[in-house]
Amino acid sequence: MYPIFNAHGNMEAFVWRFTSKTNENSEVDNIWTYTDKTKIEINNSLNRTYSVVSEKPHGFDRIPVVYLQQDHPEWEDVKTLIDRYEVALSKLGSSNDYTGQPLLKLYGELVNMPDRNDDGKTLRFPIKEIDGTGKTVQGDVEFLTANNAAESVELELDKLYTLINSMSSTPNIDFDNLKGLGAIPGIALRLCF
């Protein structure tokens, strides 16, 4: 899309350029130019040379385009939140890779270690008598897992995601949010997208 301005900063024309496919699946370059009175359609469908296809009044007394220019995209205000969200999510993934699965802690000497694909795994430790007093020492095993869940990280990710959506005026239309609305009329659902 190309706005064309005169020396005084007023829009004289608006050009919309896009490609389309023909029935033979070849690409056509389309150029539509809107002035204050007419719509001019140009394309290269005839022997790959550009020609005017139609020129007719569009029925408005001005260029039928609402044009807004801004220095930064909508998400500029939440760029640092997006960066923080991505870093926190990455660190959470790395942390889960490192501590998410339990470790097997062994005490003593293990006689046999079961294969990882065995069903009904059994660990066998020898029982040893110490000092001839009848006291015995035996091995043991337990799983070592992280005792606390990452609730604070989850809370931070949720808050960051909510702030990103609200501060950038981006609706959160994922399936979980939409299904909570109940029965949505078809036209309303189409307008969401």
Side-chain angles (χ1 to χ4, degrees):
M1 296 182 198
Y2 308 97
I4 299 170
F5 297 98
N6 63 17
H8 304 289
N10 296 322
M11 188 186 302
E12 290 184 334
F14 191 86
V15 180
W16 183 28
R17 187 172 187 173
F18 61 96
T19 58
S20 61
K21 298 260 186 194
T22 64
N23 292 340
E24 294 80 31
N25 209 23
S26 62
E27 263 192 17
V28 176
D29 189 20
N30 299 281
I31 303 168
W32 293 0
T33 304
Y34 294 90
T35 65
D36 60 344
K37 302 278 186 241
T38 62
K39 174 186 174 188
I40 305 163
E41 295 184 16
I42 302 170
N43 68 33
N44 65 346
S45 61
L46 298 173
N47 300 326
R48 308 305 293 164
T49 58
Y50 289 91
S51 59
V52 175
V53 176
S54 75
E55 181 173 353
K56 55 188 171 189
H58 49 61
F60 297 97
D61 62 347
R62 58 186 58 115
I63 300 171
V65 171
V66 177
Y67 180 78
L68 172 69
Q69 183 174 342
Q70 61 188 40
D71 294 330
H72 301 288
E74 291 296 324
W75 53 265
E76 179 72 20
D77 294 339
V78 293
K79 185 169 69 170
T80 54
L81 294 176
I82 292 171
D83 290 343
R84 177 66 186 149
Y85 183 81
E86 291 173 349
V87 167
L89 189 59
S90 176
K91 287 183 177 181
L92 179 62
S94 295
S95 175
N96 284 342
D97 287 346
Y98 189 73
T99 61
Q101 302 301 321
L103 297 173
L104 192 61
K105 249 174 41 173
L106 300 174
Y107 299 95
E109 180 184 339
L110 180 65
V111 174
N112 67 328
M113 182 70 175
D115 186 58
R116 68 182 304 159
N117 295 324
D118 288 348
D119 289 332
K121 295 176 176 60
T122 303
L123 299 173
R124 203 172 83 217
F125 295 92
I127 298 175
K128 295 182 181 176
E129 185 178 334
I130 53 172
D131 300 337
T133 60
K135 289 187 175 181
T136 59
V137 173
Q138 64 189 32
D140 195 8
V141 64
E142 66 182 44
F143 281 105
L144 179 64
T145 58
N147 292 332
N148 58 342
E151 286 115 7
S152 62
V153 174
E154 183 180 349
L155 177 64
E156 180 184 6
L157 291 176
D158 289 343
K159 291 291 184 191
L160 285 171
Y161 191 73
T162 302
L163 285 172
I164 289 167
N165 284 328
S166 64
M167 290 177 68
S168 63
S169 299
T170 307
N172 184 358
I173 56 172
D174 66 9
F175 182 72
D176 288 333
N177 285 341
L178 289 179
K179 73 179 180 184
L181 294 175
I184 303 174
I187 186 68
L189 192 55
R190 280 198 298 276
L191 288 173
C192 284
F193 296 98

